[in-house]
Amino acid sequence: MCTSVVVTEELRPVGGTVQTDIDPRSLIGRKAFDRNGAKIGTIDEVYLDDATGVPEWAAVRTGLFGRDAFVPLEPSELVDDALRVPFERALIKDAPEFGVGRHLSPEQELQLYHHYGLDVSLPSDFQRDFGRLANEED
């Protein structure tokens, strides 16, 4: 089985910080649990912020023949060598599916932030570019 650390575009949640002293590769293979302690699955991949290198998302294999669900690493936390994700298992399993092993686009990350009800602050140049593209398409 081949695992990898994958890179994502720069989109940051507002508030809180991700534990940056953890090697993202050390998360791969760890179990992930929801807010109630129900097992979600095993972490397959960790996605890093392009600009900072900070771990932002984990792809969690949800079952033997399941798919990978993306979970935010902020506000998740490591507890007893497992990732505790502060959301219900049903919400996690219902997260948008983008496939793993590929770069997440800013739009895909935005969909994930909205799915989990997380606030996002975008770099100011991204907002300008996004607004210009939106206006050009109208």
Side-chain angles (χ1 to χ4, degrees):
M1 181 169 128
C2 194
T3 56
S4 63
V5 175
V6 182
V7 182
T8 64
E9 291 291 333
E10 181 186 1
L11 288 175
R12 305 291 307 144
V14 174
T17 58
V18 177
Q19 264 186 288
T20 57
D21 59 338
I22 297 171
D23 179 356
R25 289 175 288 268
S26 73
L27 293 173
I28 296 170
R30 291 186 190 218
K31 303 294 180 211
F33 297 88
D34 78 353
R35 70 183 318 154
N36 300 316
K39 183 180 173 188
I40 302 164
T42 304
I43 299 172
D44 275 348
E45 294 184 340
V46 175
Y47 289 68
L48 306 177
D49 180 283
D50 281 345
T52 65
V54 172
E56 261 193 68
W57 297 97
V60 178
R61 173 68 58 184
T62 59
L64 186 59
F65 298 107
R67 65 177 187 90
D68 280 274
F70 287 91
V71 297
L73 290 173
E74 166 65 33
S76 299
E77 59 184 349
L78 282 177
V79 178
D80 299 327
D81 265 352
L83 185 69
R84 177 74 56 137
V85 183
F87 299 101
E88 300 285 333
R89 185 176 184 198
L91 180 68
I92 294 165
K93 286 191 167 204
D94 196 34
E97 187 173 355
F98 302 120
V100 295
R102 290 179 266 168
H103 199 262
L104 286 177
S105 71
E107 293 79 14
Q108 289 169 326
E109 262 196 302
L110 199 54
Q111 286 178 34
L112 288 168
Y113 280 119
H114 287 298
H115 176 77
Y116 287 107
L118 299 172
D119 289 330
V120 179
S121 75
L122 299 171
S124 58
D125 58 338
F126 179 85
Q127 290 174 333
R128 283 193 302 271
D129 290 344
F130 184 79
R132 186 170 54 251
L133 290 173
N135 291 336
E136 290 173 359
E137 293 177 21
D138 287 338

